[in-house]
Amino acid sequence: MWEVIGMGLAGEDHGPARAREQFLRGGSVEGAVRSPILDSWQRSRSLGLTPDGCELPFSQDLDLDGRLIRAAVPVLDRLENRFAGRNMNVSLADGRGAVLQRRFGEPSLVRHLAAIQSVPGFVFAERFGGTNGIGLALAERQLINVYGAEHFAERSQSNACAAIPVRDLLSGRIEGVLCLGYPLTDADAALNAVIRKAAGAIERRLLEQSSTRERDLLEAYLEARRRAPSGDTSGNGQLGELAESGLDWRDQMILKEKATELISSAQRAAVEVPLPGGRRVTLLSRPVTSASGVEGIAIEAVLPSTHQRLAVPAGAGTPPTTPEEQILPPATPHPEQLPDVGSGPAVATSRKPGTHHTPAAGHPASDTAASGLVLLGEPEVGKYAVAARRRLELLSEASTRIGTTLDVSRTAQELAEMAVPRLADFVTIDLPEAVLRGEEPTDPRSGLHRTVVHGIRDDCPFYPAGEPVALRPTTPQLRCLAAGEPVLEPDLRAATGWIGQDPGHAQRLLDHHVHSLIAVPLLARGIALGVASFYRSTDPAPFGDDDRSLAQELATRAAICIDNARRYTREHAMVLALQRSLLPHSFPEQSAVEVAHRYLPAASGVGGDWFDVIPLSGTRIALIVGDVVGHGMHAAATMGRLRIAARNFAELDLSPDEVLTHLDNLVGRLDRDEDTAEAAAGPGIIGATCLYAIYDPTSQQCVMARSGHPPPAIVHPDGTVTFPDLPAGPPLGLGGLPFETATVHLPEGSQLVLYTDGLLQDRHRDFDAALDRLRQAVAHPDRSPEDTCEAVLRTVVPPHPTDDIALLVARTHALAPRRIATWDVPADPARVSGIRTAVTSRLAEWGLDEVVFATELLLSELVTNAIRYGTEPIQVRLIHDRTLICEVSDASSTAPHLRRAATTDEGGRGLFLVAQLTQAWGTRYTAGGKVIWAECALEAPGGKPGTVEAYFDDIPAI
């Protein structure tokens, strides 16, 4: 067992390992695992990744001579020397997550590691590899630690890593990722300082590859900061520090937009900028002139007084004093002085390497205003550079923030959220109804539905979302769909095609100062999936050609994600249709229970839950609920195989534990077959759970057995709800372990509630709380099963189920004793005539004179066989239900076999005659022997007219 305090690690029997296991089972792990890790797990699962199926693509498109490699090689050399002799894997990846270089502290490691851990070229982006250091650092855009079971992939469970983005200090763009990988037992918090220093050194070397003009301007700003009076608290941190005070990426973008205006004005100013949530940040602009005469403007952000001191840059020229600092190659200026700045103007998004938490002189820590550099650049050059940077940043963020789900509508909403307000003030997106259903549109210009309306205000009178929109061919939207190219309308007052669609509606939009439009087709694989409309209102400048190009690029990227979501929707619908086709649509008529059922697919995909109601002999009924682990087509198909198998085993009249044993063997065989057939389309079966119950209305006894499945809820006639303590049993597929049964008495009017674990499992609530909700929902014995199902769906089902849900509610009935007749039969053939007389009398009491003759024949054959071949005690039972059921039981386990007698045989026709006279017959084994049963229809004297006379001469004399 291992443990590292403060790093979120724990023993292998609890902590992340246990949380991961619970998460993969669909359980709630809220609070049990670090937030970035849990978010990554959820993204990995939504992408359809599995712990043993995270296959990493290999890319040969690597820039092995680029500026990132040139900047990083000396640093990697120092790291390799620093970790000489240790099991340390140092890797450098590009901005896609593709590994460019690997270094090893112990060179012999390369001979023992898998290719993905030793060979450059493998892509560790989160969408391929799940939760890992490189992928998560790119997703979170900050220093990341991943320990052991926090990795999503099974292969990484014994490893730990620290990974940090490497940025271009002048553009703010992430150029790559530096990652340290090591055995889990070598986890050390001090490695974070090492990797921060190393990343800072690479970033400085990248900066040295920039122009002299840019570096001179940055140096001038830093020199001015060093000369600032000690009491000047207007600038004492970096924007990376401000992010820790509550500024997220959206806040930073708002500040950068306003800072751009200040730089363009080329004046000293102080402007208060409102942020979402009622917060306010002050921006200060400071003129800066470099030694070479380059003039620029530095924009700093100052937050209100804070009780939490932020990092204060150390003095210039501080020599490295720790071993970690000494491993880095020298560079100027010192990393602690290098905020992330953008090229004319520069962008600050840096981390806090080597910072010291020291209050400024004369100001107590609790009253010091946190601040940081936002932008730095030349006023004239900056306007163009910032515009280009804004476009690149928008497209870069769009690649990570559009398509986070496989939902068509949500993906369209993400496109609109990315464009507002950085490109447009309002965005509407119209998609054909076929696309929303997951189909490929035949004509994207017809059947359009307003899917998204998003903007800076909610009062703009666009057509509302959720309604069909009928557009004329002259509108910019249909023109762009017809041509497959964006359509720019710089002045909507002169756009006759747009106004002609609905003049009144157009005037209302113009009254809200909407003045410019870009309509862009959503094209993917050459197919138009809809149209996105970008509107401008607050900016007096109309859209231009650059804006049209940006909107087209943004829409193209979004269209690919929408197409992926559309195809997923289609596949999901197909799997759901398969699932529903494999589930029962109706149940056969029977008198034992009144049944209602529900099935809800998971929000993320269809699973393998199923249920069934199977009539058995003797008016008994079998109730079954099961759950196949996993989602998708494979789980649905496996569910169908198990349900059919369960029906077949039930038809053999086996006890619940025997049925589960047969299903367990079947799942094991299926799993082995999948392992053998490596070319199978889906993953192998991991397992399944099942609950099987048999209720007998003649005795009101219910026999149950379960295999890893939740126990049912029993609602007694007085409203008491209990969960019987059934032996749990192992999940199906493990093999070799026995199943046990338990018998429960269910008075007439009781309700038996069977369900799958998706009903209760939700990461946002406690399991016991969900169980209490279920108890309260079903504690109404006067409700019908249908009403109980509705109450459970309304109050217990999670808002967004992560697993599918099967629910089966059965209210029990009891067969009246007057409709059952039982006789003990001595093992004497002479006593059979007396039984026939008693049976005839009872049938007359029940008003069943029309079946007396056929029943006498049946009982004569069955009782005679029991006397001849069976063992005492022998008993005859008649049950008057929807059919007349005749049962003859004895203590022998020998079953009769139906055969066709030859014309020369003197006997052997008895069971054949039984089969002709009844609509069903069979054998049921009990703990004390067997029961031969036969069911006679009550509509006619025999099940098959004309057969009695044909075989009358072959009936044995009694």
Side-chain angles (χ1 to χ4, degrees):
M1 183 180 296
W2 48 265
E3 184 171 6
V4 178
I5 304 300
M7 288 190 176
L9 304 182
E12 60 264 355
D13 58 344
H14 59 286
R18 185 172 181 181
R20 178 176 177 274
E21 181 181 352
Q22 185 173 349
F23 172 82
L24 294 176
R25 292 199 307 264
S28 173
V29 294
E30 196 76 24
V33 66
R34 293 183 291 147
S35 177
I37 300 298
L38 179 56
D39 292 342
S40 180
W41 285 356
Q42 292 169 341
R43 290 194 298 268
S44 301
R45 186 165 62 181
S46 70
L47 290 169
L49 300 179
T50 58
D52 56 352
C54 295
E55 298 296 334
L56 302 181
F58 182 81
S59 174
Q60 295 181 336
D61 182 21
L62 303 177
D63 188 2
L64 300 179
D65 297 317
R67 57 194 301 263
L68 178 61
I69 288 290
R70 294 196 303 271
V73 163
V75 181
L76 297 177
D77 291 341
R78 295 291 182 91
L79 288 173
E80 185 175 5
N81 293 333
R82 171 68 175 83
F83 295 114
R86 294 179 56 179
N87 290 338
M88 181 65 69
N89 186 338
V90 182
S91 57
L92 177 71
D94 61 18
R96 302 171 301 161
V99 175
L100 301 175
Q101 277 208 12
R102 286 193 180 274
R103 303 294 181 88
F104 300 94
E106 173 54 54
S108 62
L109 277 177
V110 71
R111 297 194 300 269
H112 304 290
L113 294 176
I116 61 170
Q117 296 176 294
S118 58
V119 177
F122 285 95
V123 182
F124 282 80
E126 189 181 61
R127 67 180 184 273
F128 302 123
T131 308
N132 69 87
I134 293 175
L136 192 53
L138 287 173
E140 296 291 331
R141 307 172 70 86
Q142 62 181 338
L143 173 65
I144 287 295
N145 297 106
V146 185
Y147 303 102
E150 291 180 336
H151 289 88
F152 191 77
E154 292 285 356
R155 60 173 174 267
S156 303
Q157 299 300 291
S158 61
N159 301 328
C161 65
I164 191 170
V166 176
R167 289 181 169 85
D168 183 332
L169 295 176
L170 290 173
S171 69
R173 184 178 64 250
I174 293 178
E175 294 289 336
V177 176
L178 181 65
C179 182
L180 302 180
Y182 42 88
L184 191 56
T185 53
D186 292 349
D188 186 352
L191 290 174
N192 284 349
V194 176
I195 197 170
R196 279 197 180 102
K197 294 290 185 181
I202 298 174
E203 291 173 347
R204 295 197 310 278
R205 292 181 59 83
L206 283 171
L207 180 64
E208 291 173 354
Q209 300 177 28
S210 303
S211 70
T212 303
R213 195 177 179 89
E214 294 168 333
R215 284 184 281 131
D216 285 349
L217 194 58
L218 177 59
E219 180 61 31
Y221 169 77
L222 295 175
E223 182 62 27
R225 290 296 310 120
R226 289 193 290 270
R227 294 197 306 266
S230 59
D232 183 1
T233 61
S234 63
N236 58 5
Q238 300 173 349
L239 192 57
E241 308 300 335
L242 298 183
E244 296 184 2
S245 299
L247 294 183
D248 60 16
W249 68 276
R250 294 179 180 84
D251 300 327
Q252 295 179 31
M253 290 309 305
I254 294 174
L255 295 179
K256 291 173 187 177
E257 296 293 336
K258 188 62 179 177
T260 303
E261 299 176 10
L262 294 176
I263 289 176
S264 300
S265 67
Q267 296 178 355
R268 181 184 294 271
V271 178
E272 192 175 56
V273 180
L275 297 177
R279 297 166 297 159
R280 292 182 178 274
V281 173
T282 300
L283 292 183
L284 301 179
S285 64
R286 299 173 177 272
V288 176
T289 303
S290 72
S292 59
V294 178
E295 296 182 353
I297 300 293
I299 307 298
E300 296 173 340
V302 181
L303 280 98
S305 298
T306 176
H307 293 283
Q308 180 178 3
R309 288 292 298 137
L310 299 175
V312 180
T318 304
T321 58
T322 66
E324 289 77 11
E325 290 175 309
Q326 293 171 1
I327 71 168
L328 304 177
T332 58
H334 194 270
E336 295 169 349
Q337 302 167 283
L338 290 181
D340 284 349
V341 293
S343 171
V347 184
T349 56
S350 69
R351 298 158 277 97
K352 49 177 182 179
T355 52
H356 305 280
H357 297 269
T358 305
H363 291 263
S366 60
D367 296 328
T368 303
S371 67
L373 180 66
V374 180
L375 293 178
L376 177 65
E378 302 175 65
E380 295 301 323
V381 178
K383 289 186 291 185
Y384 301 101
V386 167
R389 176 188 53 77
R390 287 171 55 190
R391 284 167 168 76
L392 290 175
E393 286 182 344
L394 180 60
L395 294 176
S396 176
E397 291 176 15
S399 64
T400 60
R401 299 185 184 277
I402 297 178
T404 60
T405 69
L406 290 172
D407 180 84
V408 172
S409 299
R410 178 57 195 159
T411 303
Q413 180 71 30
E414 290 170 344
L415 166 60
E417 291 173 353
M418 282 301 305
V420 175
R422 298 158 66 180
L423 172 62
D425 297 313
F426 299 95
V427 174
T428 64
I429 299 177
D430 304 321
L431 302 177
E433 187 178 5
V435 172
L436 296 173
R437 293 195 305 264
E439 302 171 4
E440 194 170 284
T442 55
D443 183 2
R445 294 170 294 181
S446 62
L448 289 173
H449 274 65
R450 179 58 49 88
T451 306
V452 173
V453 177
H454 182 69
I456 57 175
R457 303 191 312 274
D458 295 331
D459 61 346
C460 209
F462 290 97
Y463 294 140
E467 296 185 2
V469 288
L471 300 178
R472 294 186 177 182
T474 57
T475 59
Q477 288 82 2
L478 288 197
R479 282 159 47 205
C480 82
L481 285 175
E485 297 289 341
V487 173
L488 170 63
E489 293 285 0
D491 186 0
L492 288 177
R493 291 171 298 182
T496 56
W498 178 76
I499 295 174
Q501 167 68 24
D502 186 343
H505 179 257
Q507 186 59 49
R508 289 193 296 273
L509 289 176
L510 292 173
D511 291 342
H512 280 74
H513 309 291
V514 176
H515 61 79
S516 189
L517 162 67
I518 300 175
V520 186
L522 299 172
L523 297 174
R525 299 181 298 109
I527 300 172
L529 302 175
V531 59
S533 303
F534 302 86
Y535 295 88
R536 180 169 285 179
S537 64
T538 57
D539 190 341
F543 284 124
D545 291 334
D546 289 344
D547 298 310
R548 176 172 55 186
S549 299
L550 177 60
Q552 182 178 16
E553 182 68 23
L554 192 64
T556 299
R557 299 191 181 198
I560 294 173
C561 297
I562 290 175
D563 189 50
N564 290 337
R566 176 194 65 81
R567 289 195 279 181
Y568 170 80
T569 301
R570 180 189 60 190
E571 297 298 329
H572 182 270
M574 292 174 58
V575 175
L576 182 58
L578 172 64
Q579 169 86 341
R580 293 193 182 280
S581 69
L582 295 174
L583 291 174
H585 300 286
S586 61
F587 297 126
E589 294 183 357
Q590 43 80 35
S591 304
V593 292
E594 178 187 353
V595 179
H597 60 89
R598 295 291 188 276
Y599 170 76
L600 293 180
S604 59
V606 178
D609 289 15
W610 91 92
F611 56 88
D612 213 340
V613 177
I614 308 169
L616 303 178
S617 64
T619 70
R620 298 171 307 135
I621 197 77
L623 307 172
I624 184 168
V625 170
D627 183 2
V628 175
V629 175
H631 294 84
M633 187 76 72
H634 186 77
T638 303
M639 175 276 293
R641 299 166 79 175
L642 290 184
R643 177 176 171 253
I644 293 173
R647 267 193 164 271
N648 292 335
F649 295 141
E651 292 291 339
L652 298 176
D653 255 333
L654 302 177
S655 62
D657 56 325
E658 291 179 295
V659 171
L660 293 184
T661 299
H662 285 294
L663 289 176
D664 180 52
N665 294 334
L666 174 63
V667 172
R669 288 195 300 271
L670 293 177
D671 208 358
R672 289 190 295 271
D673 292 344
E674 291 289 341
D675 290 339
T676 302
E678 295 180 354
I685 301 168
I686 301 174
T689 65
C690 185
L691 172 64
Y692 190 91
I694 296 178
Y695 172 69
D696 188 346
T698 64
S699 63
Q700 302 177 41
Q701 299 292 316
C702 184
V703 183
M704 293 179 278
R706 64 185 179 119
S707 58
H709 202 86
I714 297 178
V715 185
H716 297 273
D718 61 358
T720 304
V721 180
T722 60
F723 294 88
D725 186 17
L726 302 181
L732 299 177
L734 295 184
L737 299 175
F739 300 97
E740 300 180 46
T741 61
T743 302
V744 179
H745 180 71
L746 299 180
E748 184 173 12
S750 301
Q751 287 195 11
L752 191 62
V753 182
L754 290 76
Y755 53 90
T756 53
D757 56 5
L759 179 66
L760 302 180
Q761 290 184 351
D762 181 21
R763 66 185 184 88
H764 297 294
R765 68 181 178 187
D766 182 70
F767 181 84
D768 292 334
L771 203 63
D772 288 338
R773 282 193 183 184
L774 177 61
R775 189 191 306 272
Q776 296 170 9
V778 301
H780 299 275
D782 54 326
R783 283 180 180 160
S784 67
E786 282 289 341
D787 292 339
T788 299
C789 284
E790 288 299 324
V792 170
L793 295 186
R794 187 172 57 252
T795 60
V796 185
V797 174
H800 302 285
T802 58
D803 194 7
D804 49 344
I805 298 170
L807 176 66
L808 186 65
V809 179
R811 171 182 282 172
T812 63
H813 297 303
L815 197 63
R818 65 178 181 277
R819 300 175 73 89
I820 305 173
T822 306
W823 297 273
D824 293 325
V825 180
D828 181 2
R831 303 292 296 272
V832 175
S833 59
I835 295 298
R836 284 205 308 269
T837 301
V839 167
T840 301
S841 175
R842 180 55 59 94
L843 293 177
E845 294 178 13
W846 288 344
L848 302 179
D849 297 311
E850 69 277 8
V851 297
V852 168
F853 182 65
T855 304
E856 287 183 341
L857 294 179
L858 290 174
L859 288 178
S860 296
E861 174 61 27
L862 297 180
V863 173
T864 301
N865 282 344
I867 293 175
R868 287 181 177 177
Y869 309 113
T871 306
E872 290 189 288
I874 301 172
Q875 190 178 73
V876 173
R877 185 171 72 157
L878 290 184
I879 301 175
H880 181 200
D881 191 39
R882 295 174 183 270
T883 61
L884 179 66
I885 303 172
C886 306
E887 295 182 345
V888 177
S889 62
D890 66 83
S892 171
S893 59
T894 302
H897 295 281
L898 176 65
R899 66 183 182 87
R900 180 179 294 274
T903 55
T904 57
D905 289 342
E906 296 183 2
R909 297 177 176 81
L911 288 179
F912 189 74
L913 178 60
V914 169
Q916 295 297 314
L917 294 174
T918 62
Q919 64 180 24
W921 74 280
T923 304
R924 177 172 77 248
Y925 292 96
T926 65
K930 68 175 182 297
V931 176
I932 309 297
W933 57 270
E935 291 186 12
C936 296
L938 298 180
E939 295 80 10
K944 299 169 185 177
T947 58
V948 176
E949 292 79 3
Y951 294 94
F952 183 82
D953 292 337
D954 295 322
I955 297 176
I958 304 297

